Amino acid sequence: MTMPADLETDAVRLRAAMTKALAADGVLADPAWRQAVETVPRHRFVPGFYLPGERDGQGLTVWEPVTAGLDYGRWLAAAYSDTTLITQFDGDEPDWKNPQVRHGGAPTSSSTLPSLVVRMWADAEVTEGHTVLEIGTGTGYSTALACERLGSADVTSIEVDGRRLETAASALHACGYTPTLAVADGLYGYWPEASFDRIVAACSFRAVPPALLAQTRRGGKILLTLSGWLYGYARVLLTVNGDGTADGRLLGGTVSFMSARTHAAPAFGNPAHWAACLPDKARTTPHDPGRITDATEEAFHLRFLAQSAVPNAQMTTVGEVVHLVDVVTGSAATLTPVEGRWEVREGGPVKLWERIENVLNAYDEAGRPKPETFTLHVYDGGQHLRHPQLPDLPLPRP
């Protein structure tokens, strides 16, 4: 379609308003990042995206396509809002010339909300003179901000989805940015451009990929979001040591990213089939499962700790019953509310809820420590989350 003649004028106005709002929220304390946000035209990286609507009769979210052709005002306003814009579901590239409403689906690519993009670069302590590897190019907007701050020559960005990268590359080049781009799996970094001063991932991993440590200069830093099959998340800023090890503290907040595709959870089938194999005998648990499922900052943190104790477990709720399923060991558990208490049935070689109970007990005894009090240590023997008052929690082998 032919864009309105005043598009760039409208975009400059909305971009200035977004920048002012982010600065007022304390996101743009660094003048260099503020200038980058003021300069990079986000609308050029999101020709189309989906916004959530109501749920349909089956309980699925109805995702409405938004483009300049469908609704110019809504498209441009959303492009310059501090909002994550979903650009792909289930790995299927949309036809933005004829977009269709979607019912449900798993988001697999997006343009992350600008405040978080800037926060990630700032938390990684990226500054002039650094060479950086970005894992997860996505739409290219985050890449463009890094290019604006550092210069294109010092930025490498990789994306596992070739069609996504092609679209991002076109937008980047049209805006005058020429970073090194490649189709590659973030699990293995990008050896041709190593070593890097900073590595920042816009996806999450179950554990720190060893290749990233090997591709970071001594004293360099890696900013990752750690996740897992319970969808517990934690961010960590690691400093790489000269001996191939790394150490760092967890960062606060409730940030989540889509999993790296090679670390995504496997399908586990019908929860009723797993529940049918459990013993009839139940016991009462002292812990409400809401402690790891509620929409609170503490539950967000606890879900990550619990996940470290049962790294292969997945969780779903059917009616009032909470199901835990472990496809690796064949273990399962159910939690059912009964007259004001929760009853647990467990089966298989791993007592899933019992392990989570142990974590919750230790956490309470330690005074409910916040994420920033935990450290992550990566070395030849594994990767362990540590706290002075809690037992070590291992991450899955990468």
Side-chain angles (χ1 to χ4, degrees):
M1 67 161 287
T2 301
M3 290 293 184
D6 54 356
L7 168 60
E8 294 306 322
T9 301
D10 291 342
V12 168
R13 173 177 54 81
L14 290 172
R15 189 158 63 249
M18 181 182 77
T19 303
K20 183 178 180 180
L22 293 178
D25 288 341
V27 175
L28 301 176
D30 185 334
W33 285 120
R34 176 167 183 156
Q35 182 176 347
V37 173
E38 287 177 334
T39 303
V40 175
R42 191 188 188 204
H43 68 281
R44 296 194 187 181
F45 295 89
V46 285
F49 46 84
Y50 290 94
L51 294 178
E54 301 296 327
R55 292 186 178 274
D56 64 14
Q58 296 180 312
L60 300 174
T61 299
V62 177
W63 292 92
E64 302 173 3
V66 180
T67 66
L70 291 172
D71 189 332
Y72 169 78
R74 188 185 188 196
W75 165 73
L76 196 60
Y80 288 106
S81 65
D82 192 30
T83 305
T84 292
L85 305 173
I86 305 300
T87 55
Q88 187 193 77
F89 288 88
D90 303 317
D92 297 328
E93 195 68 14
D95 176 9
W96 291 118
K97 294 181 181 179
N98 185 32
Q100 304 297 314
V101 172
R102 291 192 60 102
H103 292 250
T108 48
S109 190
S110 67
S111 177
T112 303
L113 64 161
S115 62
L116 179 53
V117 171
V118 174
R119 178 180 170 188
M120 293 287 286
W121 289 123
D123 283 347
E125 301 172 9
V126 172
T127 192
E128 288 79 3
H130 282 158
T131 55
V132 304
L133 171 64
E134 176 189 42
I135 298 173
T137 312
T139 65
Y141 174 67
S142 174
T143 317
L145 291 175
C147 290
E148 186 66 33
R149 171 70 188 270
L150 303 174
S152 297
D154 287 333
V155 178
T156 298
S157 186
I158 59 175
E159 169 63 49
V160 73
D161 187 325
R163 295 168 300 174
R164 283 277 82 214
L165 189 68
E166 182 178 358
T167 301
S170 296
L172 285 162
H173 294 161
C175 293
Y177 302 117
T178 56
T180 298
L181 302 172
V183 177
D185 189 332
L187 188 64
Y188 306 104
Y190 198 61
W191 285 103
E193 294 295 316
S195 295
F196 302 99
D197 295 302
R198 298 289 187 270
I199 295 180
V200 176
C203 61
S204 62
F205 295 96
R206 296 184 75 204
V208 181
L212 302 188
L213 270 65
Q215 293 175 30
T216 304
R217 293 193 179 102
R218 180 176 183 176
K221 297 180 185 294
I222 302 172
L223 181 66
L224 291 178
T225 300
L226 298 170
S227 66
W229 297 348
L230 284 184
Y231 298 102
Y233 296 89
R235 289 193 310 146
V236 62
L237 180 62
L238 293 167
T239 299
V240 176
N241 306 314
D243 57 0
T245 64
D247 303 276
R249 288 193 176 276
L250 299 191
L251 304 180
T254 55
V255 172
S256 60
F257 277 103
M258 299 172 193
S259 296
R261 297 191 186 184
T262 46
H263 279 194
F268 58 80
N270 187 335
H273 297 167
W274 291 84
C277 298
L278 296 176
D280 293 333
K281 186 176 180 180
R283 65 178 178 83
T284 299
T285 174
H287 296 287
D288 186 318
R291 294 200 64 188
I292 63 171
T293 61
D294 287 345
T296 65
E297 193 162 328
E298 183 180 65
F300 189 93
H301 173 45
L302 271 175
R303 189 157 59 250
F304 177 73
L305 299 182
Q307 173 181 273
S308 299
V310 286
N312 299 317
Q314 298 181 65
M315 181 170 53
T316 188
T317 300
V318 180
E320 294 185 306
V321 180
V322 178
H323 295 258
L324 289 166
V325 174
D326 180 343
V327 300
V328 177
T329 66
S331 305
T334 61
L335 291 95
T336 306
V338 178
E339 297 178 352
R341 66 182 189 279
W342 285 87
E343 291 193 345
V344 182
R345 294 191 299 141
E346 297 182 281
V350 177
K351 297 299 183 282
L352 300 175
W353 187 251
E354 182 178 303
R355 286 194 179 184
I356 293 175
E357 284 177 327
N358 291 338
V359 170
L360 296 175
N361 290 336
Y363 172 81
D364 290 342
E365 291 170 6
R368 300 188 172 188
K370 294 186 176 298
E372 300 90 333
T373 63
F374 288 80
T375 56
L376 180 66
H377 301 266
V378 183
Y379 54 99
D380 285 343
Q383 303 183 16
H384 284 80
L385 193 65
R386 291 176 177 164
H387 187 278
Q389 296 172 275
L390 292 169
D392 285 1
L393 289 170
L395 298 187
R397 297 293 295 183

